[in-house]
């Protein structure tokens, strides 16, 4: 366990390029493995989660060559995965665990067991088992809902699936299975969630239609994916943005970050709180399914904040940044209220409990609710010690809290950041002039 102390910072200056997008890297690896022709992925994220994905697709028969900051994947084709003796290890990667079964479900006559670390074994898979079962696959999960679990592949039939939660992982799983099902598969989203899968499928020549909340994919014989370039991860960039806003005298540039509108809910919340973030973000394209990912630069400066209310519709578009919203709320004037975010309880840690408990231990005034939290802004944080609970976003939250605090913060379990942002401490150091 690594313990790192983050001292109060004077100011942040300079520019940072966030690491490659984790969500898009997972998808590029999986779709690359499903494709018939080799796919070059530029700027692939080399971090623990996305390395688990490369290992999984290798086990399934894909050839993966690491080339510079990218990878070249020679896939197995849609229905041709290798049979395995033992389980596939997804490590800590929830996205891998929920997306890959969409592909595996279509491998007729073959079965695959998925397992992972202690945290992954607490994360439910019934949300994907339900639609995949309706499509004709069989899923055997521990206690009916947890890993380890086995996907028994089958000839799939298409379904129309009403998503019970606005989850991009579940949506993506159904869409991937839909590629191999008879006919057209439709998902109904209760609210928009990140749309990287549908964009990449469109880029791979799949017919993908959106009609308001309905998203339909038509089955294919083959996927033909051109080169993929992965933008910087807006969720990783958000930590640097929060640091720039919170630490007095800061002015930073964030370069090459994804600006996909389904990932920039945090920016819109921050803007409402009075944060100074300048840059061009993508506008929602309506029903058009775009086949590319937008990328852009942002300028961030320190400034005072006011509290705000985040409602359920906004939650999926800022889901991984809500811990940072809690931190910003501690420094804001007035109350910051997050509701409709019960999904936070099912992340790498129970992020309602760990964030509220963690920030309160640093001098914050937060209260957990069933589906979110209320933060009473006190204008600052004293500092102290916070545990990452093995959750990468908690570790990085503690670090940023430390820079903005009066006395500094010691993060216990800082190594968790390697899951999504292995160069986090280094990048922060460069903005601090170290
Ligand atoms: C992800 C979707 C989100 C997010 C996770 C990554 C993805 O989960 O929290 O970090 O890549 O699809 P849900 O879709 O389950 O909300």
């Amino acid at each position: 366990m690594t313990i790192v102390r983050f001292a109060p910072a004077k100011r942040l200056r300079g520019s940072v390029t966030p690491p490659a997008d984790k969500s898009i890297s997972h998808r590029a690896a999986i779709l690359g493995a499903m494709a018939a022709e080799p796919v070059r992925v530029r700027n692939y994220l080399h971090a623990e989660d996305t390395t688990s994905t490369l290992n999984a697709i290798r086990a399934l028969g894909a050839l993966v060559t690491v080339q510079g900051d990218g990878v070249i994947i020679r896939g197995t084709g849609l229905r041709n995965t290798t049979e395995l003796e033992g389980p596939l290890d997804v490590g800590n990667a929830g996205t891998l665990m929920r997306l890959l079964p969409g592909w595996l479900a279509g491998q007729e006559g073959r079965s695959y067991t998925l397992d992972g670390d202690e945290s992954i074994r607490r994360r439910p898979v019934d949300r994907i088992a339900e639609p995949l079962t309706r499509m004709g696959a069989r899923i055997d999960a521990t206690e009916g809902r947890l890993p380890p679990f086995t996907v028994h592949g089958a000839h799939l039939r298409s379904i129309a699936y009403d998503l019970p939660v606005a989850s991009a992982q579940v949506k993506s799983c159904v869409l991937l299975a839909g590629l191999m099902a008879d006919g057209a598969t439709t998902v109904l989203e209760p609210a928009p969630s990140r749309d990287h899968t549908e964009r990449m499928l469109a880029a791979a020549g799949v017919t993908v239609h959106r009609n308001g909340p309905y998203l339909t994919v038509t089955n294919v014989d083959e996927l033909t994916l051109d080169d993929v370039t992965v933008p910087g991860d807006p969720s990783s960039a958000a930590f640097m943005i929060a640091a720039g806003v919170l630490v007095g005298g800061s002015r930073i540039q964030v370069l090459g970050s994804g600006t996909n509108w389904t990932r920039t809910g945090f920016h819109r919340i921050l803007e409402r709180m009075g944060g100074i973030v300048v840059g061009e973000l993508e506008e929602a394209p309506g029903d058009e399914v775009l086949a590319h990912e937008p990328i852009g630069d942002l300028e961030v400066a320190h400034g005072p904040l006011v509290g705000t209310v985040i409602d359920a519709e906004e939650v999926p578009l800022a889901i991984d940044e809500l811990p940072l919203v809690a931190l910003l709320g501690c420094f804001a004037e007035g109350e910051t209220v997050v509701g409709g975010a019960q999904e936070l309880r099912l992340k790498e840690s129970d992020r309602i409990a760990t964030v509220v408990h963690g920030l309160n231990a640093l001098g914050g005034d937060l209260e957990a609710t069933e589906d979110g939290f209320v933060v009473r802004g006190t204008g600052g944080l004293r500092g102290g010690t916070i545990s990452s609970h093995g959750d990468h976003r908690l570790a990085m939250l503690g670090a940023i809290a430390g820079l903005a605090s009066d006395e500094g913060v010691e993060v216990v379990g800082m190594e968790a950041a390697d899951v999504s942002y292995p160069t986090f401490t280094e990048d922060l150091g460069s903005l601090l002039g170290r």
Side-chain angles (χ1 to χ4, degrees), residues 204-225:
V206 176
T207 307
V208 192
H209 281 304
R210 175 173 286 287
N211 182 4
Y214 295 93
L215 191 61
T216 302
V217 287
T218 307
N219 60 357
V220 288
D221 292 328
E222 254 181 29
L223 276 187
T224 330
L225 189 61

Side-chain angles (χ1 to χ4, degrees), residues 22-24 26-27 95 98-99 123 127 166-170 172 193-194 196 319-320 343 347-348 351 393:
K22 181 157 82 69
S23 287
I24 299 175
H26 281 305
R27 286 158 172 79
T95 303
R98 307 252 180 56
L99 264 61
R123 302 186 66 187
R127 47 183 54 202
S167 160
Q169 293 178 352
V170 181
S172 302
S193 64
R194 68 191 67 191
H196 306 305
I319 185 76
D320 294 334
E343 278 293 298
K347 296 297 175 188
E348 286 83 332
R351 286 190 182 149
R393 302 210 193 274

Side-chain angles (χ1 to χ4, degrees), residues 44-192:
Y44 188 83
L45 174 67
H46 294 290
E48 281 176 8
D49 254 20
T50 42
T51 298
S52 296
T53 303
L54 292 184
N55 290 338
I57 63 165
R58 274 191 185 111
L60 291 169
L63 292 177
V64 180
T65 318
V66 176
Q67 235 185 39
D69 67 0
V71 289
I72 297 174
I73 300 166
R74 195 172 178 293
T76 62
L78 263 189
R79 299 166 197 273
N80 230 349
T81 54
T82 305
E83 281 197 66
L84 298 181
E85 295 281 317
L88 280 164
D89 180 8
V90 303
N92 189 250
T95 303
L96 172 59
M97 173 175 78
R98 307 252 180 56
L99 264 61
L100 198 62
W103 183 27
L104 300 177
Q107 306 304 312
E108 263 185 271
R110 294 193 288 285
S111 299
Y112 296 93
T113 298
L114 282 78
D115 199 1
D117 69 10
E118 211 188 297
S119 142
I120 213 88
R121 284 187 168 195
R122 291 193 297 266
R123 302 186 66 187
V125 292
D126 45 346
R127 47 183 54 202
I128 55 160
E130 220 243 325
L132 293 179
T133 304
R134 286 181 46 189
M135 294 178 88
R138 189 158 62 80
I139 317 286
D140 290 324
T142 307
E143 292 165 28
R145 61 185 294 267
L146 297 170
F149 66 105
T150 302
V151 182
H152 304 280
H155 184 88
L156 300 179
R157 51 182 173 266
S158 59
I159 55 168
Y161 190 62
D162 194 347
L163 287 171
V165 278
S167 160
Q169 293 178 352
V170 181
K171 168 176 67 175
S172 302
C173 177
V174 178
L175 294 179
L176 294 186
L179 298 176
M180 294 163 289
D182 292 333
T185 295
T186 299
V187 291
L188 167 58
E189 293 193 88

Side-chain angles (χ1 to χ4, degrees), residues 3-37:
I3 301 176
V4 183
R5 191 181 130 74
F6 293 86
K10 281 215 181 62
R11 58 174 202 188
L12 284 80
R13 286 289 158 112
S15 62
V16 65
T17 303
D21 192 287
K22 181 157 82 69
S23 287
I24 299 175
S25 294
H26 281 305
R27 286 158 172 79
I30 295 171
L31 291 194
M34 297 169 90
E37 304 283 339

Side-chain angles (χ1 to χ4, degrees), residues 142-426:
T142 307
E143 292 165 28
R145 61 185 294 267
L146 297 170
F149 66 105
T150 302
V151 182
H152 304 280
H155 184 88
L156 300 179
R157 51 182 173 266
S158 59
I159 55 168
Y161 190 62
D162 194 347
L163 287 171
V165 278
S167 160
Q169 293 178 352
V170 181
K171 168 176 67 175
S172 302
C173 177
V174 178
L175 294 179
L176 294 186
L179 298 176
M180 294 163 289
D182 292 333
T185 295
T186 299
V187 291
L188 167 58
E189 293 193 88
S193 64
R194 68 191 67 191
D195 64 359
H196 306 305
T197 304
E198 39 276 43
R199 289 188 194 222
M200 209 179 284
L201 287 176
V206 176
T207 307
V208 192
H209 281 304
R210 175 173 286 287
N211 182 4
Y214 295 93
L215 191 61
T216 302
V217 287
T218 307
N219 60 357
V220 288
D221 292 328
E222 254 181 29
L223 276 187
T224 330
L225 189 61
D226 279 339
D227 287 7
V228 177
T229 298
V230 182
D233 196 321
S235 299
S236 299
F239 290 97
M240 302 305 173
I241 294 174
V245 168
L246 290 177
V247 176
S250 297
R251 257 198 114 84
I252 61 167
Q253 289 90 43
V254 175
L255 307 178
S257 176
T259 56
N260 178 320
W261 77 279
T262 62
R263 293 293 297 284
T264 49
F266 173 70
H267 303 68
R268 293 185 284 276
I269 294 167
L270 181 54
E271 210 167 86
R272 265 201 330 264
M273 296 179 85
I276 305 171
V277 182
V278 182
E280 258 183 50
L281 302 179
E282 184 188 56
E283 303 266 340
D287 278 355
E288 192 185 350
V289 179
L290 300 174
H292 71 275
E293 292 287 349
I295 194 163
D297 301 335
L298 301 169
E299 300 234 16
V300 182
H302 166 72
L305 299 174
V306 291
T308 187
V309 177
I310 289 92
D311 64 35
E313 277 266 316
E314 281 186 288
V315 163
L317 307 179
I319 185 76
D320 294 334
E321 292 69 68
L322 293 177
L324 279 170
V325 171
L327 175 65
L328 295 172
C330 292
F331 288 81
E333 197 189 308
E335 264 187 10
T336 299
V337 184
V338 172
Q342 56 278 8
E343 278 293 298
L344 284 179
R345 296 205 180 270
L346 304 174
K347 296 297 175 188
E348 286 83 332
S349 65
D350 171 347
R351 286 190 182 149
I352 294 181
T354 51
V355 167
V356 168
H357 181 262
L359 293 177
N360 277 341
L362 303 181
D365 184 359
L366 294 86
E367 201 182 305
T369 59
E370 211 164 289
D371 64 350
F373 41 76
V374 178
V375 189
R376 282 174 285 273
T378 54
L381 275 184
R382 183 191 60 238
T385 300
I386 190 169
S387 164
S388 71
H389 295 277
D391 180 339
H392 55 131
R393 302 210 193 274
L394 249 290
M396 295 187 278
L397 179 77
I400 305 302
L403 303 185
S405 69
D406 299 334
E407 298 172 6
V409 169
E410 203 170 64
V411 180
V412 180
M414 193 61 216
E415 73 285 350
D418 292 349
V419 158
S420 61
Y421 198 161
T423 57
F424 172 78
T425 308
E426 234 171 282

